[in-house]
């Protein structure tokens, strides 16, 4: 729509932060950030491949195997891990639409157990939650999350708690989910 | 074939150690060992899922997604990683039939780069080589491997070098590839 001064008003860009406008998923943003950390040799953190059970493989040509039947498996660990300054890093990332809470059902029981385990062994472990409604990414320390989770009489993490206990992750073009910046601030590394 | 004393000679079972007789792959043996380490809470180390590119997914029933077209991808990291006593652990495992050498072609360029990277960041990194011919598993420190690899005028690691520089990994029923025992001996953890 054109205004009298001849300028176009870009209505779409009026939501609070930039995150929800980019149209990229949290996974893509974390992968881009990880690629930057890798290229700048700051940290080596990768997403694990999606676990699947392969049932049938065809060989249409001699060197190209084609999987023709496979099923998704429940992951037994979190999706991301790696190393930063000698420390083992481990986290799960979830994007949610709800404006009010993060449902515990988003994290499988195996992943909860995994987070408890790696924490006990000295990892830096956390959960990244993208609240799409607000366009904000939060880093929640695994110890804080687990503490709430175990004592909760409800089945979700309220937004008020996330705002108070989570750490906002800043966006930049090269590091759209710059969680390493938060790690540097809140952990002794 | 029957001998005069009535006993059958089991020709197949005459190789030196138990490893090659068990009929289990190195991957299965490492997974079994990792499961033991996990259950005894000694270490949390997992094999990463096989990386694949998913092209087509069908939904024959409402909740069951069936992958009907997918392809194997080259891995960009090693296959195994995790945490032990606060240290980041990273390794690749390969089983070879050759009695004389371990071909460098078994390790992709990406994996070499990955091993160099995690070492630089303070990881405990290594390669496990099963020499099926001898029925022996060896742990080779990544630093030793990389040092030889970079200065080599040949395209493989000779068995004589592996015997001299590698550490033999013992077999036990519960931990068929007990590499953690070697880690305890040769690294300061």
């Amino acid at each position: 729509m054109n205004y009298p001064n001849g300028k176009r008003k870009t209505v779409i860009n009026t939501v609070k932060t930039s995150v929800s406008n980019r149209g990229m998923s949290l996974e893509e943003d974390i992968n881009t950030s990880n690629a930057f950390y890798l290229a700048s040799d700051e940290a080596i953190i990768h997403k694990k491949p999606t676990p699947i059970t392969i049932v049938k493989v065809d060989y249409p040509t001699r060197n190209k195997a084609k999987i023709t039947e496979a099923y998704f498996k429940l992951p037994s660990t979190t999706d991301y891990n790696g190393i930063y300054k000698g420390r083992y890093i481990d986290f799960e990332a979830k994007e949610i639409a709800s404006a009010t809470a993060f449902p515990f059902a988003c994290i499988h029981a195996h992943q909860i157990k995994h987070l408890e385990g790696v924490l006990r062994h000295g990892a830096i472990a956390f959960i990244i939650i993208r609240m799409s409604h607000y366009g904000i990414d939060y880093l929640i320390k695994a110890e804080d999350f687990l503490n709430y989770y175990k004592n909760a009489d409800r089945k979700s993490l309220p937004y008020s708690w996330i705002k108070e206990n989570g750490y906002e992750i800043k966006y930049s073009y090269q590091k759209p989910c710059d969680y390493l910046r938060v790690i540097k601030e809140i952990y002794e590394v």
Side-chain angles (χ1 to χ4, degrees), chain A:
Chain A
M1 139 184 196
N2 287 311
Y3 280 82
N5 60 4
K7 281 185 187 161
R8 293 191 104 190
K9 192 175 175 193
T10 48
V11 181
I12 295 162
N13 286 330
T14 53
V15 288
K16 285 176 192 158
T17 79
S18 58
V19 174
S20 50
N21 294 322
R22 287 172 290 121
M24 301 297 272
S25 70
L26 176 58
E27 180 179 326
E28 287 169 305
D29 284 349
I30 292 174
N31 289 348
T32 303
S33 307
N34 285 346
F36 186 90
Y37 301 148
L38 187 66
S40 59
D41 204 25
E42 272 188 281
I44 301 177
I45 296 160
H46 288 276
K47 182 178 183 297
K48 292 188 185 178
T50 306
I52 60 163
T53 305
I54 297 170
V55 177
K56 210 156 53 181
V57 181
D58 280 356
Y59 296 88
T61 62
R62 218 179 137 219
N63 294 312
K64 186 93 176 170
K66 180 182 175 182
I67 299 161
T68 55
E69 189 181 350
Y71 299 93
F72 293 101
K73 269 199 293 195
L74 267 192
S76 50
T77 68
T78 49
D79 271 358
Y80 301 86
N81 74 356
I83 186 169
Y84 167 64
K85 289 196 178 174
R87 294 291 297 274
Y88 174 82
I89 305 286
D90 195 299
F91 64 98
E92 184 59 29
K94 291 289 174 196
E95 196 161 352
I96 54 160
S98 165
T100 54
F102 172 80
F104 290 145
C106 288
I107 311 266
H108 303 297
H110 269 116
Q111 296 180 315
I112 297 279
K113 213 186 149 197
H114 178 75
L115 286 170
E116 287 176 328
V118 296
L119 263 190
R120 198 167 54 238
H121 285 267
I124 289 179
F126 50 89
I127 296 170
I128 294 176
I129 298 175
R130 169 165 295 176
M131 300 209 65
S132 309
H133 182 82
Y134 302 102
I136 303 180
D137 296 342
Y138 291 96
L139 184 152
I140 318 277
K141 282 182 167 186
E143 41 273 61
D144 294 341
F145 175 82
L146 292 168
N147 191 37
Y148 187 92
Y149 175 85
K150 282 182 210 158
N151 300 305
D153 50 3
R154 41 181 294 163
K155 290 186 171 168
S156 64
L157 207 56
Y159 175 54
S160 58
W161 187 93
I162 295 174
K163 260 205 307 192
E164 204 178 305
N165 296 277
Y167 301 88
E168 197 176 326
I169 301 172
K170 293 280 188 291
Y171 164 85
S172 78
Y173 179 73
Q174 288 182 306
K175 293 168 273 185
C177 180
D178 190 6
Y179 64 88
L180 207 56
R181 184 168 159 177
V182 177
I183 292 180
K184 288 172 192 170
E185 281 165 17
I186 66 172
Y187 291 97
E188 284 176 26
V189 191

